[in-house]
Every structure is written in structure tokens, then in C-alpha cells.
Amino acid sequence: MRCSPPAALALGLLRLCLAQANFAPHFFDNGIGSTNGNMALFSLPEDTPVGSHVYTLNGTDPEGDPVSYHISFDPSARHVFSIDPDFGNITLVEGLDREREDTIEAVVSISDGLSLVAEKVVILVTDANDEAPTFIQEPYIVHVPEDTPAGSSVFKVLAVDKDMGSGGSVAYFLQDAQASPFSVDRHSGVLRLRAGTTLDYETARAHSVTVVAKDGGGRLQGARVVFSATTTVTVNVEDVQDTAPVFVGTPFYGYVYEDTVPCRAPTEAQSLLLRHHHSGSWRLRVERSRGSEVLTVVAMDGDRGNPHRLLYSLVNGSDGAFEINATSGAIVVTRSPAQLQREAYELHVQVTEVSSAGSPAAQATVPVTIRIVDLNNHPPTFYGESGPQNRFELSVYEHPPQGETLRGLKIIVNDSDQGANARFNLQLVGLGGVFRVVPQTVLNEAQVTIIVENSDAIDFEKFQVLTFKLLATEVNTPEKFSATADVVIRLLDTNDNAPKFISLYYAARIPEDAPGGSSVVAVTAMDPDTGPWGEVKYSIYGSGADLFLIHSSSGVICSQPGASLDAEARPRHHFYVKAEDGEGRSSLAEVFVTVLDVNDHCPQFAQSIQERTMVLGTPVKIEATDRDAEEPNNRVDYSITRSEPASVFDIDAHTGEIRLKRSIRSLDALRNITRGRDCTWSLEVQATDRGSPAFSTTALLRIDVTDAEALSQSPVDAFLRQTKDDPTTAVGVLAVTMAGVVAVTVLVSTATFWRSKSNKVRPVRRVLRRRPSPAARAAHAERLKFTRTRAAAEFVLREDAPNGNRSASPGSPPPLRTPVPPPPPRMAPGTGTAPRTVPTVSGSLTSAEPDGSPTPRALGSPVQSALVSELRQKFEKKSRAHQA
């Protein structure tokens, strides 16, 4: 379709504008839960550590230009993030706290250098369990009446946790809930009086209740944590009127003396209660009459938290001779003593509580005895249940509680006089500090109470009988009449002592050869109690007690019948001994038993028949061991008891080293001594321990003496000396050597075959072979001959002539000695151009000549003969073992 010129122009201009336009970059929107994009719907836990990489801004530019990222905050807000403009990595730089700031507003932008695209984002701060519960409206003090019914609600505590979810839920608990009279509702925090529990102001006026608030737990930096808080609720118990009045100082006794002045008859005005308002409070004033006061009874309201006013009155028994002050409780006499018809009056005094409304409430009654006193003609007298008595006896158990009264003693002290003549002091004589007597001052008559002061001193194990005196002495009389009474307290035993060992540790020693049932040690535990409580039974236990037993009554520890003690296997035994009385009270002691070593082992050589090769000037050593555990039983001394054919050796008694005597300095001197000049000796060595009695044992030792030059003459000698204790090694080396020879032979033969096959004469090729030099061939043949002859001579087996002085066991080879390395092979002179050959050793084991005469080579090397003999013996021994 063809366009008009104007349309074509417009289309070209449009294309030019589009070519020059720059498209703005944009973010990727990856949605919720993504950690890269434009931070849309992004949330971050408040416990995220500062410095953590939390997000990556990610976007692109349509033209593919590089972009940069930026993040900004409101000037008044905290800058909690930093950004890498090149990569868009956002890092947390300040700590988060959801309870203070649960959202973060920021502006993220992306730019390609020409265009900038910005987006406002809101980051949600999610909760973590980082807050502890907090009690509000503290301190908690509550007042509760003592008559509050059980199960009633008394208070409500409230704790809040700013966290959300389970971390923000609070549950309540009580510390020491079992001992508290209260309970708390774990959900509401309501404090209640526990069911079946009552409050009593007279018993406890206040209670401290510790309440614990715990949250439901939550995650904090990857770990589950639970926070808690505590508070104290003080519950003050309010007193209510639920207790009757209580008289103080009972029993009440009063006395009327000859000089007592009676008071006027009480009038209405004397008992009138006048109320006067003074300083905002009410005061009580009583008008009293003049006269002699006999005694005053005292009472108090049992409800001490809110006491009521008390009024006293006489119920009966006065016969008009006595009156009481309604408010003070003072009893006065209204008649002269001459008008009193009886010697004693028994009055009944009643006390009545008056409520705040003025109505009477609870009442209580107490008897009061008033005696008529004339002259001081009666001393104090002690009375028992059957009348006057000057000796009182009582049986009590030892260690009664401190402050307890001796209830079995019924003692009354009385002075039949009246007034001041009947006032006397009461004291305890003897056993100071153990008991005290109450009362200490008596007017006319009182019941004597003896109270325990020192419980520890009342000990049956120290005193079976305690005796002291009660002394009553008049105070204000010229006569100072007095009386005494003996108090005898017989103590009864209790099981207050555990058996106690006289020592906590026992150490004993017993010889290891002691027969079973031998006494080891006797332990002793003392129990001062009597009867079955003082009977001690012994027992032992512990890992070291398996070889011992104890007599349950005597405490004697013996070895088990048939027990075998071994100082070498177990030199010490450790166990415990227990002492127990009839009620199970017990104590422990430790026992250490040392098994004494006895010389019950004799020294032992490794082999009873041994062979050694001694190099001239070098000692050989023989060693024996003694299995005894201690010195001197396991110390061994050595001696030579017999030497054949002559005594040429000395032995170190302590080390067992055997040396030639100093007079023997050469091998020729030894050859001159022996018959066959073979330098072979037979020794009988004795090893003796130092025990008492001493034990000894002997071993036969065969010594072949040689010198260092003889040992270094031949590589074969060195080889045989190295392998004389291990014939398998010799056979192995020989087998490997022969295998090497065979291998070399095969290689040479193969090479010769291929060489001869390739040396065919062809028309255009001529092969010239060079003959070896006759001199080199002759020298090579001589060296081979010499080597073969020497190797064969090395392996010739020779039988030694019978010798009565030699005692060696075929089955007891000498100990292994350090082998001498063989010398390097010798090269024939003048064979520099000769072909190189592989040296081999060949030989055979042959018996000696029938006549027993050794070869000249054998005569010159007795050491080689001994080594070959040893090899043959070992071969025969192994053959017998394989056949078996």
C-alpha cells in the first residue's frame, strides 16, 4: 500500500522519536515471602541481629544499562537499613523493637543514570519473644479478715507481656504452693484462700505470697525461650471477735492479813463508768474506794488485733466479804479479818467483753482463792499428790525438747501464813543451767513447774540419774523459814547414738601364705546406748572384700576359708566395714589390708640349657627372674657352681655377666686348656634369691669362645651367625638367592637365543665376534672355583667328639645376637673388561666322616660347626612339629 508524502513524513518522524527515547528502569515484584525484588510485602523479625543481610533490591533497565539502588527514610525516622548501591544488598544497621515500632516506612529507588524510579514500601516488624511479663500496680498489700471462708477470692494480680501470640500470654503460679494457704488461678491471676484452709490472726498475722508470671514461650534468635517475673503479695490478716477473753497469771491466790483494813461498801458511783471525750477519743475513768487490795485478776481479749473492753464481776463465793473493781479486776476485802468466818474463800470471777455497741459479748470465768492470814508460824511446804512430801521422783526419756515442762512432776509449794509471811522465793539448787523453776516468787501457794533449759546435758550415757533440790525461802520475814525437796529424775535411754568406730581407718598386714581363716584385724565400734540399741553388728562390703569375712559380733576380720592371697597379683585390698545397731543407725570405716610378700617363688631362667658365643673381651649375660613381689625376695644373685673343663670364667653376682678371668687374654690360652682345642665350656650357673629361706635354681650354659677376627673372616660365618636362631630365615634367603640365579639364567639364555637367531650371515652383512681375553677367562674361572669351594666348605656338617663337660639342650637355642654383615664380593684383578657375572652361594648339609674326624676347614672354625649344628637342630625340631 503506498502512502502519501505527508503520511510518510509523519511516520519517519515517529520512528526517529522512538529510536531516541530512553525507557525508565523498573523493579522486579517477586511477591510476599521473597528476599529480593522491590521489598513489597516484606516483613522482618524484631530479633534479627544487627549487621544481617536482610534483603536484595532487584530490578532491570529495558535498554540493559547498569542500574543503581537507593533507600531513604523520613528525616524524623530512624535509618535502620543501609544499601549497597551496586548490588542492592540491604543490611540491618539498627536493632528492631516491634513493641516500639511495628512498621518501617522507606523509599526504595532504582536508577539507570538518566531515569529514577522510586517506590514507597512498608516493612512489617514481626514479633519475637523478647519481653518478660511485668506486674502492674505494685506493691500488692491486701487485708483479709480471719473469718474469710475457704475458697474465697482475696486479691487479683495482673501482669502484662507486650509480646504477641504465645509469647504474650501470661500464666500465674505460686512459689512453694504446697506450704501456702492460698492458691492462684493460672489464667486470671485471682488469689484465693485454698479449700479446707482457714486464717487465724492469733497464729499468723500476715502471709507473704510469691506469685510467678510466665509467658507462653516463643522463639528468640532461633531458640525457644520462656520469660517470667515474680511479685510478692502481702496478705495482712484482720482480727475478728472470735476468741473469748483469757485470764493471765492463773491460778489466782489472795491473802487477808490481820492488819488488813477493809474498804467501804462499794457504791454505785464506784462502779460507774464515766465517759469523757478527750482529744477526739474516749477515756474510761473508774472511781475507786479506799481499802486494802487483796489481789488483782488480769484478763485480756483473745482477739488482740481489735480487742474489746473488758468488765470484771464476782459470780459467787464472796459471802459479801469481797468486791471486785469492774474495770481493773482488783479484789478488795469489805470486812475486817476478825469478821471473816472461814480460813479460805473460793471466789469465781467473770470477765465479759463489751462490744463497740455496748452489748456484752464473750465471757470467761476463773476461780480465785483467798486465804485469811494471821501469824508467821508456818514455813513453806512442798506437797505431792498424797500430801506433804520432800522427795519427788520422775522417769523421763533423755534429750527432751528444750522448753518442755516435766509434766510428770505434781509439786505444789505452800506457805499457810498470810500476807507477807506467805511470800517466798523458789529456786533450784544443783545442775545449774539444765533446768529452771517457775515461778520464782510465790505468794502463799503455787504449782511448781520445772522447765528444760539444756537438752544436751540430759544424756543417759552421761548420767542415768539427775538429782537436784527445790529450795523455798521466805523473803520478808525475820524468821526466813525455808524448805527443801529432793527431785530425782531417772533417765530412760533412747537410740540417740550411732555406733562409732574408734578409728575411721584400719591398716593391717597379712602374709600371703597365711592359711584361709587367718585373723587380719579387729575393728571396734562403740555404741553407748543400751539394750538392742547398743548391740553392734559388723559387716563388710566393697570391691576388695571378696577374700575376707568379718565376725558380725566381735568385729574380727579374717581371710575367707580357702582364700588364696597373692602379693604378686594383688598386693593391697581396700574395703569398708559397717557397724549397725538394732535400729539401723550405722557408721563406716575404711580398711586397708596389705598382703606381705613371702619368698614363695624361686628364680627362673628363661631356659634350663642355654648356649652362648663369647667374643674374646666381651661378656655374655645370663638372666633369671624371680616372681616375688618385693625385695629382697625378688633380688637374684648369680654364681658359677661348676665349670668344665676348667674354671676360666668369673660372674657378676648382681648382673649375671660372665667374663673371662683377667689371666686369659688370648684364644690360644683357651685352646691349650681344652682337649679338642675347640674353646667350648660347659658351666652350671646358679641363681639364688635373697629371701628367707633362700631359693635357688641352676642352668647349664654352653659357651663357645671366639675372637673378633674369626667372626669377620667369612661372610658365610656372619650370615650363619645372624640366622642361627631362625633357620627359616636362612632357608628363605637361600631360596631367594637360588630363584635369582634361575631368573638370571633364564634371562641370559633367552637373550642368547634371540641373539643367535638374529646373527645369520647375509650377503650384504658380516658379523664379527670378539673373543674374550684368555687371561680374563682364566681369572674368572679361578674366582668361581674359589667361591664354590668356600661356600661348600661353609655348609659342611660336622659332628663334635663326645665331651662329658658339655651339656646343651637341642631344644634350647642360644639367644639372638646381633649379626655381622657379610663383606662385599671381591673382584678378580685385571678383569676390567670381563663380562659381569652374578655371584651365587651354593652348598649342602653333609654329615661328618664316619670316623668322626673333622675336616681341616672344620678344625679351623669351631664357631661355624656350632652354627651349623644349631641350624640342623632347628630344622629337625620344626620337622617334628609339622609331623605332630
Side-chain angles (χ1 to χ4, degrees), residues 570-812:
R570 192 173 182 181
R572 293 175 181 84
H573 298 265
H574 169 228
F575 52 88
Y576 295 89
V577 59
K578 178 180 180 182
E580 185 175 12
D581 63 16
E583 277 194 351
R585 302 193 67 171
S586 62
S587 62
L588 297 177
E590 290 185 82
V591 179
F592 301 88
V593 179
T594 300
V595 180
L596 300 178
D597 185 38
V598 176
N599 192 23
D600 56 348
H601 293 89
C602 62
Q604 295 291 333
F605 289 98
Q607 295 175 343
S608 60
I609 301 177
Q610 303 183 28
E611 294 187 1
R612 294 286 192 275
T613 299
M614 175 185 288
V615 179
L616 197 65
T618 304
V620 296
K621 184 176 182 181
I622 189 169
E623 186 175 4
T625 58
D626 193 315
R627 292 192 300 144
D628 286 318
E630 300 175 356
E631 295 184 359
N633 296 335
N634 59 3
R635 295 294 300 273
V636 180
D637 293 330
Y638 301 92
S639 62
I640 299 176
T641 59
R642 187 166 57 89
S643 176
E644 293 183 2
S647 177
V648 296
F649 296 99
D650 290 329
I651 187 169
D652 191 307
H654 303 299
T655 63
E657 289 187 351
I658 300 175
R659 299 175 179 270
L660 286 171
K661 291 187 176 182
R662 295 184 179 180
S663 59
I664 307 300
R665 298 183 179 180
S666 65
L667 201 60
D668 292 336
L670 292 175
R671 292 195 184 101
N672 295 331
I673 297 174
T674 57
R675 302 177 192 176
R677 301 178 58 84
D678 52 358
C679 297
T680 301
W681 262 260
S682 293
L683 304 180
E684 183 180 68
V685 180
Q686 178 176 284
T688 306
D689 61 23
R690 298 184 183 180
S692 178
F695 291 105
S696 63
T697 186
T698 59
L700 296 179
L701 178 63
R702 178 180 175 181
I703 299 179
D704 292 330
V705 184
T706 184
D707 56 5
E709 296 179 359
L711 290 177
S712 60
Q713 287 178 359
S714 171
V716 178
D717 292 346
F719 173 73
L720 293 177
R721 190 172 294 103
Q722 293 174 7
T723 60
K724 68 176 181 177
D725 292 329
D726 192 358
T728 307
T729 304
V731 175
V733 172
L734 185 60
V736 170
T737 304
M738 295 179 66
V741 173
V742 172
V744 172
T745 303
V746 172
L747 291 176
V748 173
S749 300
T750 304
T752 304
F753 172 75
W754 287 105
R755 183 175 181 182
S756 62
K757 191 174 181 180
S758 60
N759 285 345
K760 294 181 180 181
V761 179
R762 296 182 181 180
V764 295
R765 184 178 179 182
R766 184 178 180 182
V767 179
L768 298 178
R769 296 183 180 178
R770 182 179 180 182
R771 295 183 178 179
S773 173
R777 181 181 301 175
H780 181 61
E782 278 296 317
R783 189 171 65 85
L784 284 179
K785 181 179 179 181
F786 173 75
T787 303
R788 291 173 182 174
T789 304
R790 183 177 181 182
E794 295 290 341
F795 283 90
V796 174
L797 185 63
R798 294 173 301 276
E799 295 288 345
D800 292 338
N803 193 346
N805 296 331
R806 310 187 64 162
S807 58
S809 174
S812 302

Side-chain angles (χ1 to χ4, degrees), residues 47 78 172 229 327 410 436 482 504 565-566 584 608 796 851:
D47 59 344
R78 295 189 306 149
Y172 302 92
T327 57
K410 305 295 183 180
R436 66 183 177 92
S482 64
L504 294 179
L565 302 177
D566 191 351
S608 60
V796 174
D851 56 358

Side-chain angles (χ1 to χ4, degrees), residues 510-520 559-560 562-565 595-596 598:
I510 182 173
E512 63 177 334
D513 61 347
S518 299
S519 176
V520 179
S559 59
Q560 288 275 10
S564 178
L565 302 177
V595 180
L596 300 178
V598 176

Side-chain angles (χ1 to χ4, degrees), residues 321-337:
F322 300 94
E323 292 294 338
I324 188 170
N325 189 295
T327 57
S328 66
I331 298 175
V332 294
V333 61
T334 60
R335 298 177 185 177
S336 65

